[in-house]
Structures are given as structure tokens and as C-alpha cells.
Amino acid sequence: MDKDKRKLNLSKIIFKPIRNEKWQPITIPVVSIVISFIAAAIVILLIGKNPLQAFYNLLQGAGIMPKPAYAGYKSMLTDFLSLLNAMTPLVFASLAVAVALKAGLFNIGVSGQMLVSGFIATIIVGYSGLDAIIAKPLVLVVGFITGGLVGGLVGWLKYRFNINEVVSTIMLNYTAQYIISFFIQMYYIDPLSRQSKYVSEEARLTLVNVEMANLKMDIPLGFILAIVVAILLKFLLDRTVVGYEIKAVGANRKAAKFAGINVGKNMVLAMVISGGLAGLAGVTYYLGYYASIQPKVLSSMGFDSIAVSLLGNIHPIGIIFSSFLVSIIDQGSTYMSSQAGIRQEIASVIIGLILLFSACGAYLKHKASQLKEKNVDRKERRS
């Protein structure tokens, strides 16, 4: 009996922060992150290092905390801008996954959509020689349209032929990877880097080595757009008929059809929006963070975005914060490795633990509601 009471008291302590259903979209990811960092700290302790020092070094490397010294033309500000530059395509990619999930679809082809959009924008605009005032907005337009067409194809195949979107997106990933690799190696290869030729500075969505206040910084032009798109997407999903219909289709297709909602149209529309956002991720990645494309390589960001989206509770604003957290760990890992003497792969372990515990969000929610029901039953018995 005492053992059961102790177990119940422990459950109360663990699940108390997430028992309020109103705040669960925030509290569950936060609890998952805290638990994952505790687990990561244990891993670091097991290899004989100081976890607090390691976490502090991560923040220093990402530009959140100051370093003891900086190289010429560098500062905490330049490190932070590099963090935002890396974070920008991750936000777009994670939003792409979220839109598809809202419609009950699993877009595992974000990497392929990024690659196709980045390649098309590269050959149409990146090598065109257009002025920056035309080239930069045109890159975004081409990226969104290209990604939207690829995503729309997946949605149409799902609706018209009931082809599972996971299968079709995986196949399109490989198709895009090898076809684009062929064209790069045949027509656009740089003989020195063995990657595609670098895009022009006028078309690039990151301003590189901008000199200001005796600093050389990389300014990501797409970052503000990513924040604006996240806010607009939240408005679309929560405040419009289109958003309501997409979420209704995702919740229950049969019920949505019975209510008069065009299921097929909304599935295709959701994948068009998802693919368009993946396209924006592609151009901010291949014509922003990088300036070229490596043949035969799919960006891991397209797959990481699935977990980042889940960590953000498939919520546009939550995705901004989850992308920020994952980018801090990713960008700060090199400095952590050099300063704390911890292998850089430990950062991947930390990210993996965060994403693992975030995937347990549904379980945490279930246990919290279960504990709440037990407390209600106990009070009823007493009364």
C-alpha cells in the first residue's frame, strides 16, 4: 500500500505541470525538453565531463552567450546572425510538415521538395544575372511555386489513386536526387568544389560578409519572412474557412465529407501549401545558407523538420521556438567540442533525446488525464 502511495505521489510531481489541458500545448514540450536535458546531462557525466560547462559552451557557440575571445571582424552578434541564418530554412521546412499533418498527411518528402525548388530557382534566377531587387523576390516566388507543384502532385496522387503519400514522397525524393545530380554534373558542375556553380550574390538570400561597425556578418534576408509566414499560417489555420476545412479533413475524413467538405480539394490544397513552404526552405537553404547544391545529397534538414514540427506541437509559433532550440544545439556543437573536450556527436545525442521525448508527448498527455481521473474518483469516494 505504501509503495502504491509513493508511486502515486511521484506521478503527481512529474505530471502536475501538464495536468492543465489549456496549457498542455506549451507545458508538454517544455517538460519534454527538461527531461531530455537531464538525460543528456547524465550522458555527459558518464563520459567524465561537466554538463553545465558543456551546455554553456553550446550557448557560446550559437551566439547566445559571449565567448572569451573572438577572431577578427567577429563577435557574439555575428555568431547569432549565423544561428538565424541556419534556423531560417528549418522553420520553413517544419511549417511544411505541420500543414500536411494538420490535414492528416505525412509529408516525408520535404528534402526532395527543397532540392527541386532550390535547383529550379538556381538555374532560372541564380545564374541569370538579374539585379538583386528583381532576383531575390523572384527566387522566393520560383521556390514557392515549384515546391507547391511537387506537393500538389503528391496530394493529387493521394486523392485520385489513393497512393500513400509516404511512399510517393520517398520515391520522389530519390527521383529528384538522381535527376538533379545528373544535370548538375553534366551542365552546372564547379570543377573545384565538385558542387553546382555558385549562384550570383544578387540572387542569394543571405547577405554575406556585410561590413558594419568593424564586423563582417551574414544577414539572412529570409528570417523575417519565416516569422511572418508562421504568423500568417497560424491565422490561416485558426481563423479562416480554409484552415477549418483542412483541420476537419485531418481529424476525420469521413465526418468532413458527411459535413459537405470537399475532402479531395483540401488534401491537394494542404499539400500545395506544404510543398510551397518546403520550396521556401529549399531556396533559403541552397540560395541562402549555402550558395550551391551538392550532387547526390538530400539535406537532412527535411527529415529533421518532422521531429522539430512535433517538438513544436505542430503549432506555427511553437515551431519557431523548437527550431531555435535545435539550431542552438546544432550551431554550438563545434565550439562545445573544442572547449569542453566533448565529441561533436554528443550534440546529435542531445537533439535525438529532445526529439525522442517530444515524441512521447501523447503519452504524457494520456498519463496526465489518467491521473486527473484517478484524483476525481478518489474525491468522489471521500464525499
Side-chain angles (χ1 to χ4, degrees), residues 80-81 83-92 95 140 205-207 218-233 277 280 284 316-317 320:
F80 184 71
L81 288 172
L83 168 71
L84 298 185
N85 194 22
M87 174 185 164
T88 300
L90 183 59
V91 173
F92 282 124
L95 291 174
L140 295 169
L205 297 176
T206 297
L207 303 180
D218 296 342
I219 302 175
L221 300 178
F223 177 73
I224 300 299
L225 178 63
I227 304 302
V228 171
V229 168
I231 295 170
L232 291 176
L233 185 60
L277 292 169
L280 292 177
T284 52
I317 306 304
I320 294 174

Side-chain angles (χ1 to χ4, degrees), residues 4-38:
D4 291 337
K5 283 184 178 180
R6 285 197 299 270
K7 187 177 179 182
L8 184 61
N9 290 333
L10 182 62
S11 297
K12 283 182 178 180
I13 294 170
I14 294 173
F15 293 103
K16 186 177 179 180
I18 60 175
R19 283 166 61 184
N20 190 327
E21 293 182 4
K22 181 181 177 181
W23 293 101
Q24 279 181 350
I26 297 173
T27 55
I28 288 178
V30 169
V31 168
S32 299
I33 291 168
V34 171
I35 294 172
S36 63
F37 270 100
I38 292 172

Side-chain angles (χ1 to χ4, degrees), residues 59-220:
L59 296 176
Q60 288 179 309
I64 306 299
M65 299 298 291
K67 296 176 183 175
Y70 290 91
Y73 302 103
K74 297 296 179 182
S75 72
M76 190 171 79
L77 176 61
T78 60
D79 288 344
F80 184 71
L81 288 172
S82 296
L83 168 71
L84 298 185
N85 194 22
M87 174 185 164
T88 300
L90 183 59
V91 173
F92 282 124
S94 303
L95 291 174
V97 174
V99 172
L101 288 173
K102 290 288 186 183
L105 300 168
F106 190 23
N107 185 3
I108 203 171
V110 171
S111 287
Q113 293 151 22
M114 287 175 62
L115 181 60
V116 173
S117 300
F119 178 70
I120 298 298
T122 294
I123 61 175
I124 291 178
V125 187
Y127 301 148
S128 66
L130 292 171
D131 290 338
I133 196 169
I134 299 173
K136 294 185 191 299
L138 189 58
V139 164
L140 295 169
V141 172
V142 171
F144 185 85
I145 292 174
T146 304
L149 289 173
V150 178
L153 173 63
V154 173
W156 181 76
L157 290 173
K158 174 71 173 180
Y159 165 67
R160 185 69 179 81
F161 302 105
N162 198 29
I163 297 175
N164 188 287
E165 72 277 4
V166 174
V167 175
S168 60
T169 49
I170 289 174
M171 294 300 102
L172 285 173
N173 277 350
Y174 286 112
T175 302
Q177 180 181 357
Y178 289 106
I179 289 178
I180 289 173
S181 175
F182 168 79
F183 279 102
I184 289 175
Q185 294 188 1
M186 288 296 294
Y187 304 106
Y188 304 107
I189 195 73
D190 185 309
L192 295 178
S193 67
R194 303 308 299 172
Q195 299 186 125
S196 67
K197 297 174 183 176
Y198 291 104
V199 299
S200 65
E201 290 297 323
E202 288 75 17
R204 192 169 177 182
L205 297 176
T206 297
L207 303 180
V208 182
N209 289 330
V210 176
E211 293 193 28
M212 190 182 300
N214 201 33
L215 298 173
K216 288 185 178 180
M217 56 191 76
D218 296 342
I219 302 175

Side-chain angles (χ1 to χ4, degrees), residues 15 18 28 31-32 35 357 360-369:
F15 293 103
I18 60 175
I28 288 178
V31 168
S32 299
I35 294 172
F357 284 107
C360 299
Y363 171 76
L364 293 174
K365 188 175 182 180
H366 168 70
K367 291 297 290 183
S369 62

Side-chain angles (χ1 to χ4, degrees), residues 190-335:
D190 185 309
L192 295 178
S193 67
R194 303 308 299 172
Q195 299 186 125
S196 67
K197 297 174 183 176
Y198 291 104
V199 299
S200 65
E201 290 297 323
E202 288 75 17
R204 192 169 177 182
L205 297 176
T206 297
L207 303 180
V208 182
N209 289 330
V210 176
E211 293 193 28
M212 190 182 300
N214 201 33
L215 298 173
K216 288 185 178 180
M217 56 191 76
D218 296 342
I219 302 175
L221 300 178
F223 177 73
I224 300 299
L225 178 63
I227 304 302
V228 171
V229 168
I231 295 170
L232 291 176
L233 185 60
K234 184 181 185 304
F235 178 82
L236 174 73
L237 292 172
D238 294 346
R239 302 290 182 179
T240 67
V241 174
V242 172
Y244 171 78
E245 290 186 348
I246 287 175
K247 290 192 292 185
V249 169
N252 192 317
R253 289 176 195 168
K254 289 183 179 179
K257 187 176 181 180
F258 183 77
I261 296 173
N262 190 326
V263 174
K265 183 198 79 172
N266 281 282
M267 286 170 61
V268 174
L269 178 60
M271 284 305 300
V272 167
I273 297 173
S274 178
L277 292 169
L280 292 177
V283 294
T284 52
Y285 185 78
Y286 292 112
L287 291 93
Y289 186 61
Y290 293 107
S292 64
I293 301 172
Q294 186 177 355
K296 293 185 181 179
V297 175
L298 283 173
S299 168
S300 63
M301 183 177 289
F303 303 105
D304 295 341
S305 63
I306 298 170
V308 172
S309 183
L310 293 173
L311 178 61
N313 208 34
I314 322 175
H315 189 286
I317 306 304
I319 283 170
I320 294 174
F321 290 101
S322 61
S323 299
F324 186 63
L325 174 64
V326 171
S327 297
I328 286 173
I329 299 169
D330 185 52
Q331 291 297 111
S333 61
T334 302
Y335 188 77

